[in-house]
Amino acid sequence: MQQDLTFTFDRYLPLLDPDHFSDVAFYQGLEKIGYRQVLLGGTGATNLAHLVRELKRSTNLKVVLYPAGPDSVAPADVVLLPDVMNSNSHYARPFGSGSVSTAMHIAQRGLNFLPIAYFIMGNSTARWYFDAFLVPKMKIVVGYALYARMVGYRVLALDYEDPALQIDPKLIAALRTIEGLQLVVSDEFTPESASEAMSLGIDTIVTPSNIYEDAADPLALAAEFHHMLLRSG
């Protein structure tokens, strides 16, 4: 087993589903724009290992993998181990069967990994999929985050992918007081709203694959995000 304790996310990462983005030329386009990291995840696991190998062969991108489960573990630069802190599911919660099985696959293959304390904040597809309960008060979220940091998590991810839910600046400010915790927030941002959110103190912004799937020109959208969030990085 190995864990690169020096690894940090870039300030912006597009999450891309390999079922929709399997052409290496698209990723070469991202690299040409100036991207250094890419996040792969979603339902598309059939050709995931092949895509990861091709990206490592044909680009200099750091490939970060968000596996849907043990079957989608592939030899990326970093494999995420997301534990859904507010999940009722025996599969997705910390020490759940899916988490344990995924960890075993990572260990058996000697891959670099990064544990993530993951919170689903609203009514989204992820909440349904992971059977997550909503946390009613900010101080409880902060308590969970503090506990997660104390037991060793270095990254906290908040999933805000609910159109009715707004990012709470007070919560972000409270989480920033936890020393050594990198804060990641995912939402269906526009480049402009992502920049506004980052100004609250968020370390890394993540956008879901569907905003690129729905875009008329995905590379042009990626260039807009890069201009707003990564150009000076």
Side-chain angles (χ1 to χ4, degrees):
M1 294 187 299
Q2 55 182 324
Q3 182 181 1
D4 182 359
L5 296 177
T6 66
F7 177 81
T8 57
F9 293 113
D10 280 346
R11 289 182 297 168
Y12 170 65
L13 279 175
L15 173 61
L16 299 167
D17 187 334
D19 264 357
H20 297 274
F21 297 98
S22 59
D23 188 348
V24 173
F26 173 77
Y27 297 92
Q28 291 172 328
L30 290 179
E31 186 176 24
K32 186 175 181 180
I33 290 168
Y35 282 85
R36 297 175 298 182
Q37 297 178 358
V38 66
L39 177 60
L40 299 183
T43 56
T46 304
N47 296 312
L48 185 56
H50 173 74
L51 176 59
V52 170
R53 285 194 298 269
E54 285 299 300
L55 293 182
K56 297 305 298 174
R57 183 180 67 84
S58 303
T59 76
N60 291 314
L61 291 167
K62 291 285 186 181
V63 180
V64 183
L65 179 65
Y66 186 143
D71 292 340
S72 57
V73 171
D77 292 286
V78 180
V79 182
L80 305 183
L81 270 175
D83 282 332
V84 185
M85 297 287 112
N86 56 330
S87 174
N88 288 310
S89 168
H90 71 86
Y91 187 84
R93 67 192 181 205
F95 294 96
S97 58
S99 301
V100 171
S101 183
T102 301
M104 291 175 66
H105 276 66
I106 293 170
Q108 288 168 0
R109 301 175 70 172
L111 301 177
N112 187 24
F113 63 93
L114 179 64
I116 293 183
Y118 179 69
F119 250 104
I120 296 170
M121 302 299 291
N123 288 305
S124 61
T125 302
R127 185 191 176 195
W128 168 81
Y129 185 82
F130 291 118
D131 189 19
F133 57 90
L134 296 183
V135 180
K137 294 184 179 180
M138 182 184 80
K139 67 178 183 180
I140 299 176
V141 177
V142 175
Y144 269 93
L146 181 61
Y147 170 80
R149 182 68 191 103
M150 291 173 70
V151 299
Y153 292 92
R154 297 186 295 118
V155 179
L156 175 72
L158 304 180
D159 183 337
Y160 269 97
E161 292 172 31
D162 176 354
L165 191 64
Q166 300 296 316
I167 296 173
D168 183 354
K170 292 182 179 179
L171 174 59
I172 301 302
L175 293 172
R176 296 301 305 166
T177 66
I178 301 175
E179 186 176 352
L181 190 67
Q182 184 178 9
L183 182 58
V184 178
V185 172
S186 64
D187 200 353
E188 294 184 354
F189 291 106
T190 63
E192 293 76 17
S193 65
S195 180
E196 292 174 6
M198 185 163 283
S199 70
L200 299 175
I202 296 167
D203 294 300
T204 297
I205 293 287
V206 172
T207 51
S209 185
N210 64 282
I211 74 163
Y212 284 95
E213 295 163 23
D214 295 340
D217 187 339
L219 283 177
L221 179 60
E224 290 182 45
F225 274 105
H226 187 276
H227 177 80
M228 293 294 292
L229 304 176
L230 294 172
R231 183 175 54 164
S232 62

